[in-house]
Coordinates of all heavy atoms in Angstrom, one line a residue:
M29 N 8.8 -16.6 15.1 CA 8.1 -17.3 16.1 C 8.9 -17.4 17.4 O 10.1 -17.6 17.3 CB 7.8 -18.7 15.6 CG 6.8 -18.8 14.5 SD 6.4 -20.5 14.2 CE 4.8 -20.3 13.4
A30 N 8.2 -17.3 18.5 CA 8.9 -17.5 19.7 C 9.2 -18.9 20.0 O 8.5 -19.8 19.7 CB 8.0 -16.9 20.9
K31 N 10.4 -19.1 20.7 CA 10.8 -20.5 21.1 C 10.2 -20.8 22.5 O 10.3 -20.0 23.4 CB 12.3 -20.6 21.2 CG 12.8 -21.9 21.7 CD 14.3 -21.9 21.7 CE 14.9 -23.1 22.4 NZ 16.4 -23.0 22.5
I32 N 9.5 -21.9 22.6 CA 8.8 -22.3 23.8 C 9.5 -23.5 24.3 O 9.6 -24.5 23.6 CB 7.3 -22.5 23.6 CG1 6.7 -21.4 22.8 CG2 6.6 -22.8 24.9 CD1 6.8 -20.0 23.3
V33 N 9.8 -23.6 25.6 CA 10.5 -24.7 26.2 C 9.7 -25.2 27.4 O 9.4 -24.5 28.3 CB 11.9 -24.4 26.6 CG1 12.6 -25.7 27.2 CG2 12.7 -23.9 25.4
L34 N 9.3 -26.5 27.3 CA 8.5 -27.1 28.4 C 9.5 -28.0 29.3 O 10.5 -28.5 28.9 CB 7.5 -28.1 27.8 CG 6.4 -27.4 26.9 CD1 5.6 -28.5 26.3 CD2 5.6 -26.4 27.7
Q35 N 9.0 -28.2 30.6 CA 9.7 -29.1 31.5 C 9.5 -30.5 30.9 O 8.5 -30.8 30.2 CB 9.0 -29.1 32.8 CG 8.9 -27.8 33.5 CD 8.0 -27.9 34.7 OE1 8.2 -28.7 35.6 NE2 7.0 -27.1 34.7
S36 N 10.4 -31.4 31.2 CA 10.3 -32.8 30.6 C 9.0 -33.5 31.0 O 8.4 -34.1 30.1 CB 11.5 -33.6 31.2 OG 12.7 -33.1 30.7
N37 N 8.6 -33.4 32.2 CA 7.4 -34.0 32.6 C 6.1 -33.5 31.9 O 5.2 -34.2 31.6 CB 7.2 -34.0 34.2 CG 7.0 -32.6 34.7 OD1 7.6 -31.7 34.3 ND2 6.1 -32.5 35.7
V38 N 6.1 -32.2 31.7 CA 5.0 -31.6 31.0 C 5.0 -32.0 29.5 O 4.0 -32.3 28.9 CB 5.0 -30.0 31.1 CG1 3.9 -29.4 30.3 CG2 4.9 -29.6 32.6
A39 N 6.2 -32.0 28.9 CA 6.3 -32.5 27.5 C 5.9 -33.9 27.4 O 5.2 -34.2 26.4 CB 7.8 -32.3 27.1
E40 N 6.3 -34.8 28.3 CA 5.8 -36.2 28.2 C 4.3 -36.3 28.4 O 3.7 -37.1 27.6 CB 6.5 -37.0 29.4 CG 8.0 -37.2 29.2 CD 8.3 -38.0 28.0 OE1 7.6 -39.0 27.6 OE2 9.4 -37.8 27.3
R41 N 3.8 -35.6 29.3 CA 2.3 -35.7 29.5 C 1.4 -35.1 28.4 O 0.4 -35.7 28.1 CB 2.0 -34.9 30.9 CG 0.6 -35.0 31.3 CD 0.4 -34.5 32.7 NE -1.0 -34.4 33.0 CZ -1.4 -33.9 34.1 NH1 -0.6 -33.3 35.0 NH2 -2.7 -33.9 34.4
F42 N 1.9 -34.0 27.8 CA 1.0 -33.3 26.9 C 1.5 -33.2 25.4 O 0.7 -33.0 24.5 CB 0.7 -31.9 27.4 CG 0.0 -31.8 28.7 CD1 0.6 -31.5 29.8 CD2 -1.4 -32.0 28.7 CE1 0.0 -31.4 31.0 CE2 -2.1 -31.9 29.9 CZ -1.4 -31.6 31.1
A43 N 2.8 -33.3 25.2 CA 3.4 -33.0 23.9 C 4.2 -34.1 23.3 O 5.2 -33.8 22.6 CB 4.2 -31.7 24.0
N44 N 3.8 -35.3 23.6 CA 4.5 -36.5 23.0 C 6.0 -36.4 23.3 O 6.9 -36.9 22.5 CB 4.3 -36.6 21.5 CG 2.9 -36.9 21.2 OD1 2.2 -37.7 21.9 ND2 2.3 -36.3 20.2
G45 N 6.4 -35.8 24.4 CA 7.8 -35.8 24.8 C 8.6 -34.7 24.2 O 9.8 -34.5 24.5
E46 N 8.0 -33.9 23.3 CA 8.8 -32.8 22.7 C 8.8 -31.6 23.6 O 7.8 -31.0 23.9 CB 8.1 -32.4 21.3 CG 8.2 -33.5 20.3 CD 7.6 -33.1 19.0 OE1 7.8 -32.0 18.6 OE2 6.8 -33.9 18.4
K47 N 10.0 -31.2 24.0 CA 10.2 -30.1 24.9 C 10.2 -28.7 24.2 O 9.8 -27.7 24.8 CB 11.5 -30.3 25.7 CG 11.4 -31.4 26.7 CD 12.6 -31.4 27.7 CE 13.7 -32.1 27.1 NZ 14.9 -32.2 28.1
E48 N 10.7 -28.6 23.0 CA 10.8 -27.3 22.3 C 9.8 -27.2 21.2 O 9.5 -28.1 20.4 CB 12.2 -27.1 21.8 CG 13.2 -27.0 22.9 CD 14.6 -26.7 22.3 OE1 14.7 -26.2 21.2 OE2 15.6 -26.8 23.1
H49 N 9.1 -26.0 21.2 CA 8.1 -25.7 20.2 C 8.2 -24.3 19.8 O 8.9 -23.5 20.4 CB 6.7 -25.9 20.9 CG 6.5 -27.3 21.4 ND1 6.1 -28.3 20.7 CD2 6.8 -27.8 22.6 CE1 6.1 -29.4 21.4 NE2 6.5 -29.1 22.6
E50 N 7.5 -23.9 18.7 CA 7.5 -22.5 18.2 C 6.0 -22.1 18.1 O 5.2 -22.8 17.6 CB 8.2 -22.4 16.9 CG 9.7 -22.5 17.0 CD 10.4 -22.2 15.8 OE1 9.8 -22.2 14.7 OE2 11.6 -22.0 15.8
F51 N 5.7 -20.9 18.6 CA 4.4 -20.3 18.5 C 4.5 -18.8 18.2 O 5.5 -18.2 18.6 CB 3.6 -20.5 19.8 CG 3.1 -21.9 20.1 CD1 3.8 -22.8 20.7 CD2 1.8 -22.2 19.7 CE1 3.4 -24.1 20.9 CE2 1.3 -23.5 19.9 CZ 2.1 -24.4 20.5
T52 N 3.5 -18.3 17.7 CA 3.4 -16.8 17.5 C 2.2 -16.3 18.3 O 1.1 -16.7 18.1 CB 3.1 -16.5 16.0 OG1 4.2 -17.0 15.2 CG2 3.1 -15.0 15.8
A53 N 2.5 -15.5 19.4 CA 1.5 -15.0 20.2 C 2.1 -13.7 20.8 O 3.3 -13.5 21.0 CB 1.2 -15.9 21.4
D54 N 1.2 -12.7 21.0 CA 1.7 -11.4 21.5 C 1.8 -11.3 23.0 O 2.4 -10.4 23.5 CB 0.9 -10.2 20.9 CG -0.5 -10.3 21.3 OD1 -1.0 -11.2 21.9 OD2 -1.2 -9.3 20.9
N55 N 1.2 -12.2 23.7 CA 1.4 -12.2 25.2 C 1.2 -13.7 25.7 O 0.8 -14.6 25.0 CB 0.4 -11.2 25.9 CG -1.1 -11.6 25.7 OD1 -1.5 -12.7 25.8 ND2 -1.9 -10.6 25.5
V56 N 1.5 -13.9 27.0 CA 1.5 -15.2 27.6 C 0.1 -15.8 27.6 O -0.1 -17.0 27.3 CB 2.1 -15.2 29.0 CG1 1.9 -16.5 29.7 CG2 3.5 -14.7 29.0
R57 N -0.9 -15.0 27.8 CA -2.3 -15.6 27.8 C -2.6 -16.2 26.5 O -3.2 -17.3 26.4 CB -3.3 -14.5 28.2 CG -4.8 -15.0 28.2 CD -5.8 -14.0 28.7 NE -5.6 -14.1 30.2 CZ -5.6 -13.0 30.9 NH1 -5.8 -11.8 30.4 NH2 -5.5 -13.1 32.2
R58 N -2.4 -15.5 25.4 CA -2.6 -16.0 24.1 C -1.8 -17.2 23.7 O -2.2 -18.1 23.1 CB -2.5 -14.9 23.0 CG -3.6 -13.9 23.1 CD -3.7 -13.0 21.9 NE -4.8 -12.0 22.1 CZ -4.7 -10.8 22.5 NH1 -3.5 -10.3 22.7 NH2 -5.7 -10.0 22.6
L59 N -0.5 -17.2 24.2 CA 0.3 -18.3 24.0 C -0.3 -19.6 24.6 O -0.3 -20.6 24.0 CB 1.7 -18.0 24.6 CG 2.7 -19.2 24.6 CD1 3.0 -19.7 23.2 CD2 3.9 -18.9 25.4
I60 N -0.7 -19.5 25.9 CA -1.2 -20.6 26.5 C -2.5 -21.1 25.9 O -2.7 -22.3 25.7 CB -1.5 -20.3 28.0 CG1 -0.1 -20.2 28.7 CG2 -2.3 -21.4 28.7 CD1 -0.1 -19.7 30.2
Q61 N -3.3 -20.2 25.4 CA -4.5 -20.5 24.6 C -4.2 -21.3 23.4 O -4.8 -22.4 23.1 CB -5.4 -19.3 24.3 CG -6.0 -18.7 25.5 CD -6.6 -17.3 25.1 OE1 -6.3 -16.7 24.1 NE2 -7.5 -16.8 26.0
Q62 N -3.2 -20.8 22.6 CA -2.8 -21.5 21.4 C -2.2 -22.9 21.7 O -2.4 -23.9 21.0 CB -1.7 -20.7 20.7 CG -2.3 -19.5 20.0 CD -1.2 -18.7 19.3 OE1 -0.2 -19.2 19.0 NE2 -1.5 -17.4 19.1
M63 N -1.4 -23.0 22.8 CA -0.8 -24.3 23.2 C -1.9 -25.3 23.6 O -1.8 -26.5 23.3 CB 0.2 -24.1 24.3 CG 1.4 -23.3 23.9 SD 2.6 -23.1 25.2 CE 3.3 -24.8 25.3
D64 N -3.0 -24.8 24.2 CA -4.1 -25.7 24.7 C -4.8 -26.2 23.5 O -5.3 -27.3 23.5 CB -5.0 -24.9 25.6 CG -5.8 -25.9 26.4 OD1 -5.3 -26.8 27.0 OD2 -7.1 -25.7 26.4
V65 N -4.9 -25.5 22.4 CA -5.5 -26.0 21.2 C -4.7 -27.1 20.6 O -5.2 -28.1 20.2 CB -5.7 -24.8 20.1 CG1 -6.1 -25.4 18.8 CG2 -6.7 -23.8 20.6
R66 N -3.4 -26.9 20.5 CA -2.5 -28.0 20.0 C -2.4 -29.1 20.9 O -2.3 -30.3 20.5 CB -1.1 -27.4 19.7 CG -0.3 -28.4 18.9 CD 1.1 -27.9 18.6 NE 1.1 -26.7 17.7 CZ 2.2 -26.0 17.4 NH1 3.4 -26.4 17.8 NH2 2.1 -25.0 16.6
F67 N -2.3 -28.9 22.2 CA -2.1 -29.9 23.2 C -3.2 -29.8 24.3 O -3.0 -29.2 25.3 CB -0.7 -29.7 23.9 CG 0.4 -29.6 23.0 CD1 1.2 -28.5 22.9 CD2 0.8 -30.7 22.1 CE1 2.3 -28.3 22.1 CE2 1.9 -30.5 21.2 CZ 2.6 -29.4 21.2
P68 N -4.4 -30.4 24.0 CA -5.5 -30.3 24.9 C -5.2 -30.6 26.4 O -4.5 -31.6 26.6 CB -6.5 -31.3 24.3 CG -6.2 -31.3 22.9 CD -4.7 -31.2 22.8
G69 N -5.6 -29.7 27.3 CA -5.3 -29.9 28.7 C -4.1 -29.2 29.2 O -4.0 -28.9 30.4
I70 N -3.2 -28.8 28.3 CA -2.0 -28.2 28.8 C -2.2 -26.8 29.3 O -1.5 -26.3 30.2 CB -0.9 -28.2 27.7 CG1 0.5 -28.0 28.3 CG2 -1.2 -27.1 26.6 CD1 1.6 -28.1 27.3
G71 N -3.2 -26.1 28.8 CA -3.5 -24.7 29.2 C -3.7 -24.6 30.7 O -3.1 -23.7 31.4
K72 N -4.6 -25.4 31.3 CA -4.9 -25.3 32.7 C -3.6 -25.7 33.5 O -3.3 -25.0 34.5 CB -6.0 -26.3 33.1 CG -6.4 -26.2 34.5 CD -7.6 -27.1 34.8 CE -7.9 -27.0 36.3 NZ -9.0 -27.8 36.6
Y73 N -2.9 -26.7 33.1 CA -1.7 -27.1 33.8 C -0.7 -25.9 33.8 O -0.1 -25.6 34.9 CB -1.1 -28.3 33.2 CG 0.1 -28.9 34.0 CD1 -0.2 -29.8 35.0 CD2 1.4 -28.4 33.8 CE1 0.9 -30.3 35.8 CE2 2.4 -28.9 34.5 CZ 2.2 -29.8 35.5 OH 3.2 -30.3 36.3
L74 N -0.4 -25.3 32.6 CA 0.6 -24.3 32.6 C 0.2 -23.0 33.4 O 1.0 -22.3 33.9 CB 0.9 -23.9 31.1 CG 1.5 -24.9 30.2 CD1 1.6 -24.4 28.8 CD2 2.9 -25.4 30.8
S75 N -1.1 -22.8 33.4 CA -1.6 -21.6 34.1 C -1.6 -21.7 35.6 O -1.5 -20.7 36.3 CB -3.1 -21.3 33.7 OG -3.2 -21.0 32.3
T76 N -1.6 -22.9 36.1 CA -1.6 -23.1 37.6 C -0.5 -23.8 38.2 O -0.2 -23.7 39.4 CB -2.9 -23.9 38.0 OG1 -2.9 -25.2 37.3 CG2 -4.2 -23.2 37.5
K77 N 0.3 -24.5 37.4 CA 1.4 -25.4 38.0 C 2.8 -25.0 37.6 O 3.7 -25.7 38.0 CB 1.1 -26.9 37.6 CG -0.2 -27.4 37.9 CD -0.3 -27.7 39.4 CE -1.6 -28.4 39.6 NZ -2.0 -28.5 41.0
T78 N 3.0 -23.9 36.8 CA 4.3 -23.6 36.4 C 4.6 -22.1 36.6 O 3.7 -21.3 36.6 CB 4.5 -23.9 34.9 OG1 3.6 -23.2 34.1 CG2 4.3 -25.4 34.6
A79 N 5.9 -21.8 36.6 CA 6.3 -20.4 36.6 C 6.7 -20.1 35.1 O 7.0 -21.1 34.4 CB 7.5 -20.2 37.5
I80 N 6.8 -18.9 34.8 CA 7.2 -18.5 33.4 C 8.3 -17.6 33.3 O 8.3 -16.5 34.0 CB 5.9 -18.0 32.7 CG1 4.8 -19.0 32.7 CG2 6.3 -17.5 31.3 CD1 3.5 -18.5 32.2
A81 N 9.3 -17.9 32.5 CA 10.4 -17.0 32.2 C 10.4 -16.6 30.8 O 10.3 -17.4 29.9 CB 11.7 -17.7 32.6
I82 N 10.5 -15.3 30.5 CA 10.5 -14.7 29.2 C 11.9 -14.0 29.0 O 12.2 -13.1 29.8 CB 9.4 -13.8 28.9 CG1 8.0 -14.4 29.2 CG2 9.5 -13.2 27.5 CD1 6.9 -13.5 29.2
D83 N 12.6 -14.5 28.1 CA 14.0 -14.0 27.8 C 14.8 -13.8 29.1 O 15.4 -12.8 29.3 CB 13.8 -12.6 27.1 CG 13.2 -12.8 25.7 OD1 13.4 -13.8 25.1 OD2 12.4 -11.9 25.3
G84 N 14.7 -14.8 29.9 CA 15.6 -14.9 31.1 C 15.0 -14.2 32.4 O 15.6 -14.3 33.4
E85 N 13.8 -13.6 32.3 CA 13.2 -12.9 33.4 C 12.0 -13.7 33.9 O 11.1 -14.0 33.1 CB 12.8 -11.5 33.1 CG 12.3 -10.7 34.2 CD 12.0 -9.3 33.9 OE1 12.4 -8.8 32.8 OE2 11.4 -8.6 34.7
I86 N 12.0 -14.1 35.1 CA 10.8 -14.8 35.7 C 9.7 -13.8 36.1 O 10.0 -12.9 36.8 CB 11.2 -15.7 36.9 CG1 12.3 -16.8 36.4 CG2 10.0 -16.4 37.5 CD1 12.9 -17.6 37.5
F87 N 8.5 -14.1 35.8 CA 7.4 -13.3 36.1 C 6.4 -13.9 37.1 O 6.1 -15.1 36.9 CB 6.6 -12.9 34.8 CG 7.4 -12.0 33.9 CD1 8.2 -12.6 32.9 CD2 7.4 -10.6 34.0 CE1 9.0 -11.8 32.1 CE2 8.2 -9.8 33.2 CZ 9.0 -10.4 32.2
Q88 N 5.9 -13.1 38.0 CA 5.0 -13.6 39.0 C 3.6 -13.7 38.4 O 2.8 -14.6 38.7 CB 4.9 -12.7 40.2 CG 6.2 -12.6 41.0 CD 6.5 -13.9 41.8 OE1 5.6 -14.7 42.1 NE2 7.7 -14.2 42.0
D89 N 3.2 -12.7 37.7 CA 1.8 -12.6 37.1 C 2.0 -12.4 35.6 O 1.9 -11.2 35.1 CB 1.0 -11.5 37.7 CG -0.4 -11.5 37.3 OD1 -0.9 -12.5 36.8 OD2 -1.1 -10.4 37.5
P90 N 2.3 -13.4 34.8 CA 2.8 -13.2 33.5 C 1.8 -13.1 32.4 O 2.2 -12.8 31.2 CB 3.6 -14.5 33.3 CG 2.8 -15.5 34.0 CD 2.3 -14.8 35.3
F91 N 0.5 -13.2 32.6 CA -0.4 -13.5 31.6 C -0.5 -12.3 30.5 O -0.9 -12.6 29.4 CB -1.8 -13.8 32.2 CG -1.8 -15.1 32.9 CD1 -1.8 -15.1 34.3 CD2 -1.6 -16.3 32.2 CE1 -1.7 -16.3 34.9 CE2 -1.5 -17.5 32.9 CZ -1.5 -17.5 34.3
L92 N -0.2 -11.1 30.9 CA -0.3 -10.0 30.0 C 1.1 -9.6 29.5 O 1.3 -8.6 28.8 CB -1.1 -8.8 30.5 CG -2.5 -9.1 30.8 CD1 -3.2 -7.9 31.4 CD2 -3.3 -9.5 29.6
E93 N 2.1 -10.3 30.0 CA 3.5 -10.0 29.5 C 3.7 -10.2 28.0 O 3.2 -11.2 27.5 CB 4.5 -10.8 30.3 CG 4.7 -10.5 31.7 CD 5.1 -9.0 32.0 OE1 5.9 -8.5 31.2 OE2 4.7 -8.5 33.0
P94 N 4.3 -9.2 27.4 CA 4.4 -9.4 25.9 C 5.5 -10.4 25.5 O 6.4 -10.7 26.3 CB 4.9 -8.0 25.5 CG 5.5 -7.4 26.7 CD 4.8 -8.0 27.9
I95 N 5.2 -11.0 24.4 CA 6.2 -12.0 23.8 C 6.6 -11.5 22.4 O 5.7 -11.2 21.6 CB 5.5 -13.4 23.7 CG1 5.2 -13.9 25.1 CG2 6.5 -14.3 23.0 CD1 4.4 -15.2 25.0
Q96 N 7.8 -11.3 22.2 CA 8.3 -10.9 20.9 C 8.6 -12.1 20.0 O 8.7 -13.2 20.5 CB 9.7 -10.1 21.1 CG 9.6 -8.9 22.0 CD 8.5 -7.9 21.6 OE1 8.4 -7.6 20.5 NE2 7.7 -7.5 22.6
P97 N 8.6 -11.9 18.7 CA 8.8 -13.0 17.8 C 10.1 -13.8 18.0 O 10.2 -15.0 17.7 CB 8.8 -12.3 16.4 CG 8.0 -11.1 16.6 CD 8.3 -10.6 18.0
D98 N 11.1 -13.1 18.6 CA 12.4 -13.8 18.9 C 12.6 -14.1 20.3 O 13.7 -14.5 20.8 CB 13.6 -12.9 18.4 CG 13.6 -11.6 19.1 OD1 12.6 -11.2 19.7 OD2 14.7 -10.9 19.0
S99 N 11.5 -14.1 21.1 CA 11.6 -14.4 22.5 C 11.8 -15.9 22.8 O 11.4 -16.7 21.9 CB 10.3 -14.0 23.3 OG 10.2 -12.6 23.4
E100 N 12.4 -16.2 24.0 CA 12.4 -17.5 24.5 C 11.6 -17.6 25.7 O 11.8 -16.8 26.7 CB 13.9 -17.9 24.8 CG 14.7 -18.1 23.5 CD 16.1 -18.7 23.8 OE1 16.4 -19.0 25.0 OE2 16.9 -18.8 22.8
V101 N 10.6 -18.5 25.7 CA 9.7 -18.6 26.9 C 9.9 -20.0 27.5 O 9.8 -21.0 26.8 CB 8.2 -18.4 26.4 CG1 7.3 -18.6 27.6 CG2 8.0 -17.1 25.7
Y102 N 10.2 -20.0 28.8 CA 10.4 -21.3 29.5 C 9.3 -21.4 30.5 O 9.0 -20.5 31.3 CB 11.7 -21.3 30.2 CG 12.9 -21.5 29.3 CD1 13.4 -20.4 28.5 CD2 13.5 -22.7 29.1 CE1 14.4 -20.6 27.6 CE2 14.6 -22.9 28.3 CZ 15.0 -21.8 27.5 OH 16.1 -22.0 26.6
F103 N 8.7 -22.6 30.5 CA 7.7 -23.0 31.6 C 8.5 -23.8 32.6 O 9.1 -24.9 32.3 CB 6.5 -23.7 31.0 CG 5.6 -22.9 30.2 CD1 5.8 -22.7 28.8 CD2 4.6 -22.2 30.8 CE1 5.0 -21.8 28.1 CE2 3.8 -21.3 30.1 CZ 4.0 -21.2 28.7
L104 N 8.6 -23.3 33.8 CA 9.4 -23.9 34.9 C 8.6 -24.4 36.0 O 7.5 -24.0 36.3 CB 10.4 -22.8 35.4 CG 11.2 -22.0 34.3 CD1 11.8 -20.7 35.0 CD2 12.2 -22.9 33.7
P105 N 9.2 -25.3 36.8 CA 8.5 -25.8 38.0 C 8.3 -24.6 39.0 O 9.2 -23.7 39.1 CB 9.5 -26.8 38.7 CG 10.5 -27.0 37.7 CD 10.5 -25.9 36.7
M106 N 7.1 -24.5 39.6 CA 6.9 -23.5 40.6 C 7.7 -23.8 41.9 O 7.8 -24.9 42.3 CB 5.4 -23.5 41.0 CG 4.5 -22.8 40.0 SD 2.9 -22.5 40.7 CE 2.6 -20.9 40.1
I107 N 8.2 -22.7 42.5 CA 8.9 -22.9 43.7 C 8.0 -22.6 44.8 O 7.4 -21.5 44.8 CB 10.1 -21.9 43.7 CG1 11.1 -22.3 42.6 CG2 10.8 -22.0 45.1 CD1 12.2 -21.3 42.4
E108 N 7.8 -23.5 45.7 CA 6.9 -23.3 46.8 C 7.6 -22.8 48.0 O 8.7 -23.4 48.4 CB 6.1 -24.6 47.1 CG 5.2 -25.0 45.9 CD 4.4 -26.3 46.2 OE1 4.1 -26.5 47.4 OE2 4.1 -27.0 45.3
G109 N 7.1 -21.8 48.7 CA 7.7 -21.3 49.9 C 7.0 -22.0 51.1 O 6.0 -22.6 51.1
G110 N 7.6 -21.8 52.3 CA 7.0 -22.4 53.4 C 7.4 -21.8 54.7 O 7.9 -20.9 55.0

């Protein structure tokens, strides 16, 4: 199962404060769908308000990026430019 790490504020809001979770999904879109089933409402938030790093690489358009069983996926604050 892939290790999933949430930001503290997201964990507090949706996951009873638990920052680390394990899920089995073959891409980011499916991961977010599974997370939304377990933590209702988190899917929309993660899809629009966070950046995603898989095994240390940050992706701009991550939804079809593959996730391996031993991957680490981090949901990070979005960096806004100006």
Side-chain angles (χ1 to χ4, degrees):
M29 291 187 157
K31 177 181 172 182
I32 313 303
V33 181
L34 300 172
Q35 304 168 57
S36 295
N37 65 323
V38 177
E40 290 293 328
R41 182 173 174 185
F42 295 103
N44 295 321
E46 293 181 44
K47 291 192 271 184
E48 293 188 15
H49 304 272
E50 290 187 343
F51 283 88
T52 301
D54 61 352
N55 65 39
V56 172
R57 178 173 283 139
R58 288 194 180 100
L59 170 63
I60 291 174
Q61 289 170 342
Q62 289 179 20
M63 292 181 74
D64 199 51
V65 169
R66 188 180 298 174
F67 309 116
I70 199 171
K72 182 176 180 183
Y73 186 90
L74 294 177
S75 296
T76 60
K77 305 286 187 190
T78 63
I80 298 171
I82 302 170
D83 297 325
E85 184 176 350
I86 298 174
F87 292 92
Q88 295 291 334
D89 188 17
F91 296 106
L92 296 178
E93 290 297 327
I95 298 173
Q96 304 303 317
D98 61 344
S99 287
E100 290 188 3
V101 180
Y102 286 77
F103 288 91
L104 308 167
M106 282 190 138
I107 298 172
E108 296 184 27

